[in-house]
Amino acid sequence: MSRGAEALALSVWNSASDLSWEPRRSNAMAHRDSDVQEECLREDLKFYFMNPCEKFRARHQIPWKLGLQILKIVMVTTQLVRFGLSNQLVVAFKEENTVAFKYLFLKGYSGIDEDNYSCSVYTQEDAYESIFYAINQYHRLKNISLGTLSYGENEENRIGLKVCKQHYKTRAMFPSNETLNSDSNTEADCLHLDLQALSENPPGWKNSSFFRLEFYRLLQVEISFHLKGIDLQRILSRELPDCYVFQNTITFDNKAHSGKIKIYFDSNANIEECKGLNISGSGQKNTQYVLAFDAFVIVICLASLTLCTRSIFLALSLRKRFVHFFLEKYKRHVCNADKWEFVNGWYILVIISDLMTVVGSILKMEIQVKNLTNYDLCSILLGTSTLLVWVGVIRYLGYFQKYNVLILTMQASLPKVLRFCACAGMIYLGYTFCGWIVLGPYHNKFVGLNTVSECLFSLVNGDDMFATFAQIQQKSILVWLFSRLYLYSFISLFIYMILSLFIALITDSYDTIKKYQQNGFPVTDLQAFLKECGSRGQCQKQPSALQCCVCCLRRKESDDHLILPN
């Protein structure tokens, strides 16, 4: 072969070698890139499931969320205590005024309400005296009241009493002949008595035909009036006082026509803006300090809300990366249990708490400057948010194994307990309706569905058992016998069987968690991926797709196979 042919053959061989080397080099580079991406994903996952101390040691990341939660506990609790003390003054002022009004306007009031009404009368003379007594007491209010009260305007912008009576249009009743001639339609008549009419001497309004009551067709008499008052005790707390408008109604109920007229007293207190306040002292300055403190609480909660929301979005992005990598490498989907590991329920709890604290603090600031008066809504928001803040502390205790048992037991037992309660609730509702319809007319604890439910719940916990048995009226032997069968069966069923099973479910979950803590928790796809090493030489054999699927199915079928990421 000539030298030219040899050179040509060598050139062709080199070209062919270069062409075969290019795919191998490209595959090697792609494999290295895949390994780098896999190692980066594994490191990000490991860092995500670290606790704040481990994150600080690994990357020197300052645990801002942990610091904010500790600061927020102190700030929110202090805010709640201050508002709670203020709210107690408001509630106490309303309740004490209601009691004072009953003593002032109800003749013969003993201080103890009769069932759900204040008092009662049994003769026509007592009924007239009670009506006239309330009217006279209203006229003499400023001379007899110990409170800072004055007359207020009603819905018609008039000062005075409004007396209304409701009765059947026509009715003739003859009990001796057992005959009744009645019209089911009703009509109402009203009379307004101003201060000038009440000041007449002798009182001409008493002789009015309006007060000639025909009790055989009378349904009710209603006396309504408005009073104003000022809560001066708030000045002692260095706060601005509240001005109240009390909408009082006295109702003489004769709808049953049983010979007993029930007297109801209802007082609805509304807080209104005080006009012309001129209070010297440090009250105004103290209000500014409180507003500044509330504003600082809002800033802290907004910062916590921002950090937790950011963490949730980063976790969802990390989950998306993990799901895409698993699908690309192992050609299968990640099981739902591993997907939920990226959703941190504690962050959601903190976000809800922060939102409620921000809204409650804004309402508190408006109440402080007397623009709003909704104490109840504000107290619900602040109280619930403080509850959630303190519950969130359990998350950090969960990093310690001895304290972690409570969280894991609750997580493991909750699904089974909810299913068990759904079944037991059907039996409970059946007993509730049965007790209400049968024992309601004969027992005070069974007069309403809500009362029956509370009574049965107390019986389940072993409270007030003998009193429940003893208070049943023996007017009907059949009902009395039924009540014994009803109560014995309910107590035996719920205490000895249902409650015992309820406790057994939680105990079983606790035993399972203790066993897992000693022998190890079931390994999931996510945990197996985190335990893999970065380099090929050190990596162990990866689990097969069949084994991983079996693991996911096993965790899906059992509620006890739980992991708790740091």
Side-chain angles (χ1 to χ4, degrees), residues 379-392:
S379 61
I380 291 174
L381 292 174
L382 294 181
T384 306
S385 64
T386 306
L387 169 65
L388 298 180
V389 167
W390 280 98
V391 170

Side-chain angles (χ1 to χ4, degrees), residues 129-147:
E129 288 182 357
S130 297
I131 295 173
F132 295 153
Y133 179 83
I135 297 175
N136 289 327
Q137 290 292 95
Y138 175 82
H139 177 235
R140 300 171 55 233
L141 179 65
K142 292 186 176 181
N143 297 327
I144 61 176
S145 175
L146 298 175

Side-chain angles (χ1 to χ4, degrees), residues 148-153 226-230 243-246 272:
T148 56
L149 298 173
S150 63
Y151 300 113
E153 298 179 349
H226 290 199
L227 298 176
K228 291 184 177 181
I230 302 177
C243 293
Y244 291 81
V245 174
F246 299 96
E272 294 186 352

Side-chain angles (χ1 to χ4, degrees), residues 3 31 91 103 108 138 147 162 189 205 211 213 258 275 299 332 338 367 376 386 388 427 438 455 470 484 488 518:
R3 292 184 176 181
H31 186 68
V91 175
Y103 275 103
Y138 175 82
K162 184 178 181 181
D189 297 327
W205 54 269
F211 289 102
L213 304 177
S258 60
K275 299 179 181 179
V299 173
R332 61 187 178 83
D338 282 340
I367 292 174
D376 294 336
T386 306
L388 298 180
I427 305 176
V438 177
C455 175
R484 265 47 193 170
Y488 279 121
Q518 295 175 359

Side-chain angles (χ1 to χ4, degrees), residues 18 24 80 113 169 207 238 248 263 278 291 294 348 361 363 384 398-399 408 479 560:
D18 292 340
R24 288 199 299 271
L80 180 71
D113 290 348
K169 283 188 175 182
N207 300 323
R238 297 182 179 181
N248 300 321
I263 304 177
N278 186 12
L291 293 177
D294 294 335
I348 299 176
S361 299
L363 289 178
T384 306
Y399 296 138
L408 293 179
V479 174
D560 298 325

